[in-house]
Amino acid sequence: MLYGKRAAFLCLGCKVNAYETQAMRECFERAGAQIVEFEDWADIYVVNTCTVTNIADRKSRQMLHRAKKKNPDSIVVAVGCYVQAAKQELQKDLSVDILVGNNKKNEIARLVAQYIEDGGGKQKPSLIAEIAAEKNYEEMEIATAENTRAYLKVQDGCNQFCTYCIIPYARGRIRSRSIEAVEAEVRRLAASGYREIVLTGIHLSSYGMENYSKKEQTLLCPDTGEVPLIDLIRRIDGVPGIERIRLGSLEPRIVTEPFVEALSSTKVCPHFHLSLQSGCNETLERMNRHYHTEEYLESCKILRRFYDRPAVTTDVIVGFPGESEEEFGKTMQFVEQVQFAQMHIFKYSRRKGTRAADMSEQVPDQVKAARSEALFALEEKMERAYEQLFFGEETTVLFEEEMQFQGRSFMVGHNERYIKFAMKTEKDLSNLLVKGQIKGDYVGEFLLFERKQLKED
């Protein structure tokens, strides 16, 4: 189908996009294409786009135009969320030859091959689903991953409709992959040598909830009181070769005592990303976040009851419309009360098509910048304080790659709590679990680590 064609891929955005890009790349390989780097000359350029912010839209357009500039005779394929949200605009874009929306990515190789066979044409091929009406999960799979940990998409879509977010309109409603399909892929990845699996989705906490009515979709099964995600985790927990299961971003509301008690008996790492967005209840209500800070704090306490010093990480948006100095002050106080291991901090970006974009009291950019800097300073202080809790203790690191610091070779990787470590060595320890002692010094942003014992099972 695509024999002799050079194809290049670029992924913009989230880990779900990364998984889908790898799956599409493997589709092209099976069709006979030679995969090259995006910076190289290619016959086909595929850009998996992002639309989470206006900046992401602009970056998506820039990369599509850059691809066509590299080779004016190439076939440029725009794929994903930006395509879904801006299909009419992209139909007019002369740099783009083929449009593929969400829930149609597994058909991309066939569509490109057909386009080549037809000799191009005046009409731009387009595969864009009516995403709001989609009820079926689009089956994709990967055989390899770029890192030593394998990201595995198990869920798509979101029903939450936060007022700042365009993603429900670009990804559609919640849809989940079957437990059987996930387990089969985990077994294949384990057989290929992967030891750590990261479960990811657009709204991972909603896994399996499409099977319940709208009234019942409270993220807890009405019949058992459990979270469907637990059933999936239990199934893959027993797959031989998999030693760590890591979870993508979680909804704070599913972190109940029964949920965490069930997690604590599995290989799930003591690293939990609970999206916060604001530490002020008034701001959370304007965001339509469905929880208050009191509930969030209780979820953190539950995690700390069942796990020894778990890494609790989060996202925070500063400068949301109407955020006063008092409201921002409440966020500062709350995140310090929680004591996060890490925070990802974002300045609110006005997104056309969302309710927040039309809200009054938009916060000036200079105010957003000042608040962001204040949170970054607090984040750095909390991250260092969290790491210092473990100085002198033993831990196990899954090494990922070699890096150079001060002219010396180090292997770098993460432990179960996702703390970054570096160990001085000339040996390639990629994808090996190494047990050792945490030193109290840093090289770059990595904690130094001294090897004690190698685990190579």
Side-chain angles (χ1 to χ4, degrees):
M1 293 168 57
L2 296 174
Y3 292 104
K5 300 297 182 184
R6 291 165 59 91
F9 289 78
L10 179 68
C11 175
L12 302 174
C14 64
K15 297 301 183 184
V16 170
N17 265 14
Y19 174 88
E20 292 171 343
T21 301
Q22 177 62 23
M24 289 188 287
R25 185 184 289 119
E26 292 182 15
C27 284
F28 271 66
E29 287 177 325
R30 290 192 294 271
Q34 176 189 352
I35 307 301
V36 299
E37 296 297 323
F38 189 77
E39 295 304 319
D40 295 341
W41 184 94
D43 300 294
I44 305 161
Y45 291 96
V46 179
V47 179
N48 198 359
T49 62
C50 178
T51 193
V52 70
T53 64
N54 291 330
I55 295 171
D57 283 359
R58 185 166 68 246
K59 181 70 175 291
S60 295
R61 289 192 299 270
Q62 288 173 345
M63 294 300 102
L64 291 165
H65 296 164
R66 182 182 294 182
K68 183 60 81 171
K69 189 174 181 180
K70 287 178 188 297
N71 178 9
D73 295 323
S74 66
I75 299 169
V76 176
V77 188
V79 188
C81 291
Y82 178 54
V83 178
Q84 198 72 46
K87 49 183 177 286
Q88 293 180 339
E89 180 182 340
L90 286 171
Q91 282 284 1
K92 302 172 186 176
D93 194 324
L94 299 179
S95 294
V96 181
D97 300 293
I98 298 175
L99 301 176
V100 179
N102 287 321
N103 240 43
K104 294 293 181 183
K105 294 174 183 176
N106 59 8
E107 300 182 47
I108 185 173
R110 177 193 62 78
L111 186 64
V112 173
Q114 187 64 53
Y115 181 79
I116 294 171
E117 186 178 328
D118 293 343
K122 295 182 180 179
Q123 187 170 359
K124 186 177 297 186
S126 176
L127 266 182
I128 302 175
E130 290 296 331
I131 200 67
E134 283 289 330
K135 295 182 179 180
N136 296 321
Y137 179 89
E138 181 185 23
E139 287 295 340
M140 305 180 80
E141 61 181 41
I142 62 172
T144 60
E146 289 189 359
N147 302 309
T148 53
R149 73 180 59 84
Y151 286 88
L152 191 60
K153 177 189 169 188
V154 301
Q155 183 275 338
D156 208 340
C158 182
N159 294 0
Q160 300 302 297
F161 290 95
C162 299
T163 57
Y164 54 82
C165 187
I166 199 71
I167 295 305
Y169 304 98
R171 284 281 180 173
R173 305 301 178 264
I174 58 173
R175 308 178 298 283
S176 303
R177 194 175 185 187
S178 72
I179 288 180
E180 292 74 21
V182 175
E183 181 186 6
E185 185 162 6
V186 171
R187 289 187 180 278
R188 288 193 297 271
L189 290 166
S192 297
Y194 292 94
R195 301 186 176 207
E196 183 174 315
I197 297 292
V198 185
L199 300 182
T200 187
I202 297 300
H203 193 256
L204 181 62
S205 302
S206 292
Y207 178 86
M209 286 309 304
E210 64 269 34
N211 299 319
Y212 297 92
S213 69
K214 189 173 182 180
K215 287 184 179 180
E216 293 171 331
Q217 286 180 10
T218 60
L219 300 181
L220 295 176
C221 297
D223 48 351
T224 66
E226 283 200 343
V227 178
L229 182 60
I230 283 291
D231 294 331
L232 177 67
I233 293 167
R234 285 172 175 151
R235 182 70 73 91
I236 65 176
D237 185 65
V239 174
I242 298 300
E243 302 199 34
R244 290 180 181 175
I245 301 170
R246 206 177 291 277
L247 304 179
S249 182
L250 293 176
E251 170 77 35
R253 289 177 296 157
I254 76 167
V255 183
T256 62
E257 193 159 306
F259 176 74
V260 181
E261 184 176 18
L263 285 184
S264 66
S265 62
T266 69
K267 297 171 185 172
V268 168
C269 293
H271 166 221
F272 302 96
H273 189 86
L274 303 187
S275 189
L276 174 63
Q277 307 306 359
S278 176
C280 171
N281 287 337
E282 292 82 1
T283 309
L284 289 173
E285 287 180 6
R286 291 197 303 278
M287 289 178 167
N288 194 36
R289 286 296 293 170
H290 308 292
Y291 56 82
H292 286 166
T293 55
E294 294 80 7
E295 298 167 81
Y296 189 101
L297 185 61
E298 180 58 26
S299 295
C300 295
K301 289 178 178 177
I302 291 170
L303 287 170
R304 287 164 175 159
R305 282 204 295 271
F306 283 90
Y307 286 91
D308 174 29
R309 296 166 292 175
V312 181
T313 63
T314 198
D315 303 311
V316 179
I317 296 173
V318 298
F320 188 77
E323 183 185 64
S324 64
E325 285 297 331
E326 181 183 0
E327 289 187 354
F328 176 66
K330 289 181 180 179
T331 291
M332 288 284 287
Q333 291 171 6
F334 184 74
V335 299
E336 194 161 19
Q337 180 182 9
V338 174
Q339 283 294 304
F340 291 105
Q342 267 189 347
M343 291 193 300
H344 301 150
I345 300 156
F346 304 91
K347 289 176 280 190
Y348 169 73
S349 175
R350 202 169 187 171
R351 183 65 177 84
K352 184 180 178 181
T354 64
R355 283 187 284 161
D358 297 325
M359 288 180 178
S360 60
E361 300 182 69
Q362 296 287 328
V363 178
D365 287 343
Q366 63 269 26
V367 175
K368 294 178 192 175
R371 292 176 183 174
S372 177
E373 287 179 11
L375 263 181
F376 270 118
L378 180 55
E379 191 277 338
E380 186 175 348
K381 176 183 173 184
M382 290 192 299
E383 184 176 359
R384 288 292 176 263
Y386 180 71
E387 291 171 347
Q388 289 168 11
L389 294 174
F390 303 96
F391 281 4
E393 296 186 6
E394 286 192 348
T395 192
T396 301
V397 175
L398 178 61
F399 282 111
E400 299 158 23
E401 60 180 330
E402 180 185 350
M403 293 182 70
Q404 296 289 321
F405 296 104
Q406 303 165 350
R408 296 182 176 182
S409 293
F410 289 81
M411 288 299 301
V412 299
H414 294 80
N415 73 348
E416 292 182 342
R417 292 176 174 84
Y418 210 63
I419 298 174
K420 293 177 286 191
F421 289 94
M423 183 175 74
K424 186 170 61 176
T425 179
E426 299 291 334
K427 294 183 178 180
D428 182 3
L429 302 176
S430 300
N431 203 33
L432 292 180
L433 288 160
V434 179
K435 190 173 184 179
Q437 186 178 33
I438 302 170
K439 312 303 287 184
D441 299 311
Y442 291 84
V443 55
E445 59 183 359
F446 294 84
L447 260 176
L448 282 173
F449 176 83
E450 186 176 274
R451 177 179 177 174
K452 293 292 184 184
Q453 176 184 347
L454 188 65
K455 186 177 181 182
E456 298 184 87
D457 51 331

